[in-house]
Amino acid sequence: MVATAPPGTRPDYTIDQDWDAYTPEEHAIWRTLFRRQEEILQGRAVPELVEAMRALEMTAEGIPRFERLTEMLMPVTGWTIVAVPGLVPGEIFFEHLANRRFPVTRWIRTPEQMDYLEEPDLFHDLFGHVPLLMNPVFADYMAAYGAAGLKAKDLGFLDYLGRLYWYTVEFGLIDTPDGLRIYGAGIASSKGESIWCLEDPSPNRIGFDLRRVMNTHYRIDDYQETYFVIDSYDRLFAETTQDLTPLYRQLAGRPPYEPGAVLPTDRVYHRGTGAYHAAKRRAAE
Ligand code: HBI
Ligand code: FE
């Protein structure tokens, strides 16, 4: 679903952030979310995520100014922050990423949406996605991903890249000497999933493999049944800058794996019990 562009949206779907228009209530929602998530991420997210927030002067004080973030981000990895009204068409999204412009949704969730909302809001995009753009390797991966998306679009293989994005940029885990850590924005911006993805026995935790990830369905409405674990951002960059066309052709026609599948070829960090999603399926019957 793509947001219909409200009046004043430019052809590339960007708008002005209009920081002065945020209400005290909206700043208060940012403060509540920031304080809660910053606490939860201690010891659960990669250290560079919290370090980057400090470097970007992103605090609980209030909603950051995109221009100020861009001033600090641009010299480090060449990325800029652009305001958008919400989800933008895939091609526009890839075009922005390929040109090192990260689209950040201007609106922030309401108090009723505090724990779950289906579309990315300002907190998801700023708190979840932007800090890692300060990491040079991850920042290069995101630009390479955008370029790959523009190529895949012409080839009709966007689904494969959508899954890659989902299982890395949104819901990725990374192996560190201190154990598994969160780097995916969809987890980092979510209270429940930040704890659940690492500590609950229910989900699988499986070593990242490009083919495997590109050919595995994901959940958009609930916690993931499987989290994929990388060993470095370098690996993501290296695999995404190769020519993916032969890989797409190999995968075309093979039915994707179910989200909860565990294959004999998988490097299994943790084989999940699946109890959480099984209980949900029973409750839905
Ligand atoms: N638009 N603003 C915005 N943010 C996203 O994360 C986003 C998007 N459009 C499409 C999209 N993500 C995904 O479908 C990508 O896989 C293309
Ligand atoms: Fe996102």
Side-chain angles (χ1 to χ4, degrees):
M1 184 274 271
V2 177
T4 47
T9 306
R10 292 182 275 272
D12 62 358
Y13 275 74
T14 57
I15 55 174
D16 297 330
Q17 180 186 14
D18 191 8
W19 188 86
D20 296 322
Y22 289 120
T23 64
E25 291 74 27
E26 288 173 311
H27 285 291
I29 289 171
W30 169 273
R31 261 199 294 286
T32 305
L33 288 166
F34 188 95
R35 283 199 186 108
R36 187 174 79 175
Q37 215 42 33
E38 191 184 34
E39 170 70 27
I40 288 173
L41 290 188
Q42 297 297 342
R44 292 192 175 94
V46 289
E48 55 267 27
L49 202 137
V50 179
E51 285 154 17
M53 279 185 210
R54 302 223 192 301
L56 288 168
E57 299 170 2
M58 207 185 274
T59 68
E61 192 187 328
I63 294 170
R65 294 170 188 266
F66 295 1
E67 277 166 19
R68 180 77 190 106
L69 291 175
T70 293
E71 277 167 20
M72 294 182 280
L73 188 55
M74 166 72 92
V76 178
T77 58
W79 278 82
T80 63
I81 306 298
V82 290
V84 292
L87 286 174
V88 304
E91 179 172 354
I92 302 270
F93 184 67
F94 287 123
E95 179 72 22
H96 280 308
L97 296 189
N99 291 284
R100 295 188 182 243
R101 294 186 300 266
F102 193 80
V104 175
T105 298
R106 185 201 170 278
W107 55 265
I108 194 164
R109 68 191 74 178
T110 62
E112 296 71 37
Q113 297 171 305
M114 203 57 104
D115 289 340
Y116 185 76
L117 76 166
E118 58 287 339
E119 268 194 62
D121 76 329
L122 178 130
F123 184 75
H124 167 90
D125 283 336
L126 271 194
F127 186 94
H129 284 288
V130 169
L132 229 39
L133 293 175
M134 287 284 273
N135 175 288
V137 178
F138 192 82
D140 287 350
Y141 165 58
M142 288 292 279
Y145 177 87
L150 290 175
K151 261 199 294 198
K153 182 194 67 58
D154 302 337
L155 299 165
F157 290 125
L158 278 190
D159 285 354
Y160 295 128
L161 276 172
R163 295 178 193 132
L164 174 60
Y165 192 83
W166 198 267
Y167 279 121
T168 59
V169 179
E170 294 294 358
F171 292 95
L173 299 179
I174 187 166
D175 195 8
T176 78
D178 302 323
L180 300 189
R181 289 291 183 270
I182 295 162
Y183 74 91
I187 312 177
S189 58
S190 154
K191 171 179 173 246
E193 197 154 5
S194 297
I195 298 164
W196 193 81
C197 76
L198 291 175
E199 297 169 24
D200 197 289
S202 183
N204 302 313
R205 297 176 191 97
I206 292 173
F208 173 88
D209 172 278
L210 188 64
R211 282 167 180 69
R212 172 72 158 90
V213 163
M214 282 189 162
N215 214 25
T216 302
H217 281 308
Y218 54 80
R219 302 295 298 263
I220 58 166
D221 56 348
D222 204 342
Y223 293 165
Q224 297 310 306
E225 297 187 51
T226 298
Y227 296 94
F228 287 95
V229 182
I230 59 171
D231 39 29
S232 72
Y233 304 132
D234 299 276
R235 170 90 181 279
L236 284 182
F237 177 71
E239 299 221 32
T240 309
T241 37
Q242 64 182 319
D243 174 16
L244 296 170
T245 310
L247 174 52
Y248 297 146
R249 297 212 188 289
Q250 267 177 34
L251 292 175
R254 280 197 213 167
Y257 301 111
E258 286 310 304
V262 179
L263 309 181
T265 46
D266 283 340
R267 179 181 171 199
V268 178
Y269 285 77
H270 170 77
R271 177 187 285 269
T273 64
Y276 172 90
H277 290 93
K280 284 267 186 129
R281 275 192 286 273
R282 277 196 302 279
E285 277 160 13

